[in-house]
Amino acid sequence: MLEVDNRVIVPESTNIRFIVTSGDVIHSYACPALGIKCDAYPGRLNQFSTYINREGVFYGQCSEICGILHSSMPIVIESVNLSNFLT
């Protein structure tokens, strides 16, 4: 229950800004290995910034009790070097 259909792929050693929202109920986008936790509200935009200084795969999940399938909402962020990101 950790893998997702589409990973968020980002370049390493780059300032990254995420903009999050929700289409149904309140969610909380969380990736503890990166120190990320941001609430997503329907109809509103929220943002956070991060700087990932190493390559790797980082796992997280929705940390809001948002409904019956709450435990089935994994998040995967993959950090790759800049040349691989651009190709």
Side-chain angles (χ1 to χ4, degrees):
M1 295 298 293
L2 292 177
E3 197 53 57
V4 296
D5 293 335
N6 298 303
R7 293 181 172 186
V8 177
I9 300 175
V10 297
E12 70 169 335
S13 302
T14 305
N15 288 314
I16 302 163
R17 182 176 69 160
F18 287 87
I19 299 174
V20 297
T21 189
S22 171
D24 49 10
V25 297
I26 299 172
H27 296 282
S28 187
Y29 190 91
C31 186
L34 299 175
I36 295 171
K37 184 171 186 241
C38 183
D39 290 336
Y41 296 98
R44 294 191 175 195
L45 297 177
N46 204 353
Q47 68 179 353
F48 64 91
S49 297
T50 188
Y51 183 88
I52 304 172
N53 59 1
R54 64 188 185 280
E55 290 185 42
V57 178
F58 306 94
Y59 296 95
Q61 64 184 15
C62 178
S63 61
E64 183 74 32
I65 306 298
C66 54
I68 191 164
L69 295 175
H70 163 73
S71 61
S72 301
M73 297 182 67
I75 296 167
V76 179
I77 299 173
E78 182 177 354
S79 174
V80 298
N81 66 34
L82 186 59
S83 61
N84 287 344
F85 181 76
L86 294 175
T87 58

